[in-house]
Amino acid sequence: MGVLAVIAVVLVTGCSTPEKPRANSPTPSYSGSAVPTAQGDSAKGPCTNKTNIPTGVFKLSDSRYLHATVPASSEVGPCFSYLIYDGGIGDRSAPAGTGASAVQAVVIFVNGEPQLTPKSYLFKGIRFVSATRSGIVVDVDTRDRGIDPPKWQQVVYKLDPETGKVISDLPDQSGRSYIVDFGSQREVRAGDAAPKPSPNAESPTASSFTNRPASDFAAGPSYEFRSPSGAINCRAFDTGLICQMPDHPHKVSSDLQCGYYKDAENSVTSFGWSNFDQPLCATIIQGNLMKAKAVLGYGESVTFRPRSDLRIVCSSTEAGIRCENLEGYGFTLSKESFTRYRVG
């Protein structure tokens, strides 16, 4: 199972030409990154020391919208650079919140401004390869569905010194959505942290949590952890994440029920995603009772990467366990209640 550790930032500069495509791509970084280059590389003249980083709701070519975010540790430099955006496809008001709607997009910046040409297509995954003053190289996962095997293709972006325009060797992606208009923009100085939502004090993305590696919770082909009290036991696997509370059943509304056992789900003990491509919900335990050995301590969090288009972060507090799909929905679970909410 693929696992996401803490998001890594790659910052590379150089003076050589872009690397040639390699037979074996490096380990995915899945991070937003930027590459500042020397002053004066742009054909438009000296580079600006300010950069417009668009975030929020981007309009797509198929009349849908991309709710886009940039990791807080990402940077954008002057002249010729890039950012990899995480996002969820949906309507103007909110992303759909499913695994299938989670995507990434790479946006190229010239002299501090984001470019719509070449087209910023949406892909299941994007990973950094290399960058120099004359070229940026990334790998893009061109598969259409997250359940299909990854289909990585290397793409080179170059800045034409005569015209100041960006060119790419990526073939036209017929039928694939791409960004046609950026949302709100915030002007920042090059090197400033990109904007991000401010998490509340109990969010697993808050800096007050100590992030532990997922390997601490490995249990065969899956990952398991329990709350310090032992009341909640959770398992993350390739296709889902489930938390159980056998001794503390909850009454939940019909919209929170999975619907697997309609006559029995008036009192539920199993919570989460039985399938990441379906909404998270609550149901009953049918065999396979969990007894995790590893403890996720109070004030600790762990990040799972079951596949390239999905990140799940779980955290533990004295109030209970919280797990979030950072591009969709999350839930809180305690002896008192089960709550489902939209992230962001």
Side-chain angles (χ1 to χ4, degrees):
M1 177 173 102
V3 179
L4 172 69
V6 179
I7 293 178
V9 177
V10 182
L11 178 62
V12 181
T13 59
C15 300
S16 60
T17 56
E19 294 181 8
K20 295 181 180 179
R22 289 174 284 180
N24 297 317
S25 297
T27 302
S29 62
Y30 305 111
S31 66
S33 303
V35 182
T37 59
Q39 296 290 319
D41 280 353
S42 171
K44 298 179 180 180
C47 298
T48 178
N49 64 350
K50 294 183 179 180
T51 302
N52 286 323
I53 300 179
T55 58
V57 184
F58 299 173
K59 188 175 181 180
L60 301 177
S61 56
D62 54 10
S63 299
R64 295 184 296 173
Y65 294 85
L66 175 69
H67 295 260
T69 60
V70 181
S73 54
S74 298
E75 300 174 61
V76 166
C79 293
F80 185 40
S81 57
Y82 77 100
L83 280 176
I84 295 175
Y85 285 84
D86 292 322
I89 303 172
D91 58 21
R92 184 188 292 272
S93 62
T98 64
S101 66
V103 292
Q104 291 187 311
V106 61
V107 176
I108 303 298
F109 290 75
V110 175
N111 205 21
E113 294 295 331
Q115 306 295 300
L116 290 173
T117 304
K119 296 175 181 176
S120 292
Y121 289 105
L122 307 187
F123 295 101
K124 284 299 178 184
I126 300 175
R127 58 193 186 191
F128 172 84
V129 176
S130 67
T132 68
R133 294 181 179 182
S134 58
I136 294 168
V137 184
V138 298
D139 286 338
V140 298
D141 184 356
T142 61
R143 61 179 160 169
D144 294 320
R145 304 183 305 167
I147 61 175
D148 294 332
K151 294 172 59 179
W152 293 104
Q153 178 177 345
Q154 198 160 93
V155 183
V156 178
Y157 296 92
K158 293 183 178 180
L159 180 64
D160 187 330
E162 298 298 327
T163 64
K165 295 182 178 180
V166 181
I167 56 177
S168 168
D169 63 355
L170 178 67
D172 180 63
Q173 302 289 300
S174 178
R176 187 179 295 277
S177 299
Y178 57 90
I179 300 169
V180 296
D181 188 29
F182 293 113
S184 60
Q185 296 188 358
R186 182 176 76 92
E187 188 178 73
V188 298
R189 293 187 179 275
D192 282 358
K196 72 170 183 178
S198 298
N200 60 50
E202 294 188 359
S203 170
T205 57
S207 59
S208 59
F209 283 83
T210 299
N211 191 74
R212 292 179 59 184
S215 57
D216 286 357
F217 306 95
S222 61
Y223 297 82
E224 298 179 354
F225 64 89
R226 62 178 176 86
S227 62
S229 69
I232 305 174
N233 284 259
C234 302
R235 177 180 295 144
F237 44 98
D238 285 343
T239 56
L241 182 145
I242 298 295
C243 292
Q244 295 180 348
M245 291 194 70
D247 299 328
H248 301 278
H250 291 313
K251 300 286 186 180
V252 298
S253 59
S254 59
D255 63 306
L256 294 179
Q257 297 173 11
C258 296
Y260 302 143
Y261 314 98
K262 294 183 179 179
D263 296 334
E265 288 183 350
N266 57 337
S267 183
V268 294
T269 49
S270 180
F271 312 84
W273 296 268
S274 59
N275 185 328
F276 284 127
D277 288 323
Q278 302 295 327
L280 71 89
C281 56
T283 186
I284 62 175
I285 299 172
Q286 284 286 357
N288 199 21
L289 186 66
M290 298 178 194
K291 290 292 183 179
K293 295 180 179 180
V295 175
L296 185 64
Y298 298 141
E300 295 180 341
S301 66
V302 58
T303 304
F304 301 106
R305 187 85 188 207
R307 62 193 192 204
S308 63
D309 63 346
L310 187 62
R311 293 175 296 165
I312 304 293
V313 181
C314 294
S315 66
S316 175
T317 69
E318 293 184 12
I321 295 291
R322 177 189 296 254
C323 293
E324 291 183 351
N325 167 6
L326 298 186
E327 289 76 33
Y329 283 82
F331 69 88
T332 58
L333 182 61
S334 67
K335 293 180 180 179
E336 291 74 31
S337 65
F338 164 67
T339 303
R340 183 177 64 191
Y341 60 92
R342 186 184 295 276
V343 177

